[in-house]
Amino acid sequence: MLSILSGGTGTPKLLRGFKDSEDISVIVNTAEDVWVSGNKVTPDVDSVMYTIAGIIDDKKWWGINGDTFNTFKALEEMGFFEEIMLGDRDRATCIYRTGMLNNGDTLTEATRDLCNVFRIRTNVLPMSEYDITSVISTPLGDMHFQDFWVGMHGEPDVSAVRLLGQLMPTPEVMDALNASDNIFIGPSNPITSIGPILSLEGVRETLQIKFVIAVSPFIGDQPVSGPAAKLMKAKGLEPSTKGVAEFYADIADILIVDERDRTDLSGYDFEVDHFDTLMTSVEKSKALADFMLSKCV
């Protein structure tokens, strides 16, 4: 049994290197969830599902490949503005999910149903049933992560990052972690993608007694994508591979850094391995996945 902690961009690139298997659980961040036109949008969960199903738009790493935006454009013409540009098929996923939630199903149950719709065998698990939100503090005020990243393009300075909500994992998440011999942390943003999962009650403590392999989303002091550097600095961490090492120091048994990365990590009590982490093709994703699997206990 293998569990993988995931956000919505870096880790899905890694996930395409694994086989769709009932022996894999992907535990996904939900602290970036948002409501759009009355529908529950779980961006990271959807990106994971679409990737495993082979329909992700791998140019943007969100949404469905070849999707249309007729509903979004029609609303725009009517003067109704949506901050998140949902494709028509992507919106259908959100409507399906919201209908189940309104009927009393849990987010975990709705996700399981959607996995069946997309013919996915992998166990995709939202991290919590509670509404948890990543709040970004900026000179313009506090804002939801989506407002910061999508609405403001990540441009404002960041002074703090905090989580609002009841930080409780689902029973299914804890069952998956407890049943797993190995746990992988993908190259997602440590602060707003992986951080919320690790902040849930009992999760970090469980990982401390498990065999954990993490992949750095930095090459030296450069993030591969996204606002990770700005957010890590706001958390008092060096925005670099060294900062990632510090963040995972108490749980990682192996940290994989890019083969081009020459950061000195000799002071940490975990193994450091170098590999190509950019995953610019499916073949490179498979190569990294196979390398990680070869390191499992």
Side-chain angles (χ1 to χ4, degrees):
M1 184 72 177
L2 169 67
S3 287
I4 303 172
L5 274 53
S6 179
T9 302
T11 307
K13 291 180 182 178
L14 175 62
L15 290 175
R16 66 182 177 173
F18 292 91
K19 293 180 180 178
D20 180 17
S21 169
E22 296 173 353
D23 293 329
I24 297 176
S25 293
V26 184
I27 298 165
V28 193
N29 170 46
T30 58
E32 297 172 15
D33 289 8
V34 66
W35 290 82
V36 175
S37 298
N39 291 302
K40 173 85 163 176
V41 182
T42 61
D44 291 358
V45 170
D46 291 346
S47 290
V48 166
M49 290 193 301
Y50 297 157
T51 298
I52 298 170
I55 59 173
I56 188 78
D57 184 338
D58 59 6
K59 293 182 175 60
K60 299 179 294 191
W61 284 101
W62 58 266
I64 295 174
N65 188 41
D67 209 349
T68 56
F69 294 85
N70 295 323
T71 304
F72 179 87
K73 292 174 183 176
L75 288 168
E76 196 172 44
E77 290 169 1
M78 296 165 69
F80 188 91
F81 177 71
E82 292 181 329
E83 282 196 356
I84 293 182
M85 188 174 180
L86 292 174
D88 296 318
R89 293 177 64 196
D90 194 12
R91 189 183 299 268
T93 299
C94 301
I95 292 171
Y96 187 109
R97 173 190 300 116
T98 304
M100 290 194 66
L101 295 176
N102 289 340
N103 286 331
D105 292 293
T106 66
L107 183 58
T108 299
E109 290 167 340
T111 303
R112 186 181 301 122
D113 252 37
L114 283 165
C115 285
N116 289 333
V117 168
F118 292 117
R119 298 180 181 178
I120 295 169
R121 293 183 297 161
T122 296
N123 193 23
V124 180
L125 298 172
M127 68 179 194
S128 181
E129 297 297 346
Y130 292 96
D131 290 332
I132 299 171
T133 302
S134 288
V135 176
I136 314 298
S137 296
T138 77
L140 301 176
D142 290 351
M143 59 184 71
H144 190 289
F145 177 83
Q146 297 295 349
D147 294 327
F148 167 75
W149 183 235
V150 179
M152 304 294 293
H153 308 292
E155 293 174 359
D157 291 332
V158 179
S159 58
V161 182
R162 69 183 192 280
L163 293 170
L164 294 182
Q166 192 164 346
L167 301 178
M168 291 293 297
T170 67
E172 291 85 356
V173 163
M174 294 310 298
D175 286 347
L177 291 176
N178 286 322
S180 294
D181 297 315
N182 300 276
I183 296 170
F184 292 171
I185 300 177
S188 293
N189 186 317
I191 305 304
T192 54
S193 290
I194 303 301
I197 305 174
L198 297 180
S199 297
L200 300 175
E201 184 175 312
V203 170
R204 196 157 200 137
E205 292 79 3
T206 300
L207 266 60
Q208 287 171 349
I209 59 174
K210 294 289 183 175
F211 191 81
V212 177
I213 303 176
V215 181
S216 174
F218 277 77
I219 300 178
D221 61 359
Q222 295 297 314
V224 174
S225 65
K230 191 175 287 190
L231 299 174
M232 288 183 68
K233 191 173 181 181
K235 277 291 191 180
L237 293 165
E238 182 178 315
S240 66
T241 299
K242 186 163 283 189
V244 174
E246 183 70 24
F247 189 69
Y248 292 140
D250 64 323
I251 57 175
D253 293 280
I254 298 176
L255 180 65
I256 298 175
V257 300
D258 190 77
E259 60 190 8
R260 291 156 281 253
D261 196 324
R262 295 294 174 261
T263 303
D264 180 10
L265 298 176
S266 56
Y268 291 96
D269 189 24
F270 50 67
E271 178 182 328
V272 177
D273 290 323
H274 290 80
F275 205 83
D276 184 356
T277 64
L278 287 182
M279 296 180 287
T280 53
S281 67
V282 174
E283 290 72 26
K284 289 189 175 184
S285 295
K286 289 179 178 177
L288 179 55
D290 288 344
F291 180 72
M292 295 176 75
L293 290 169
S294 74
K295 293 289 182 174
C296 287
V297 294

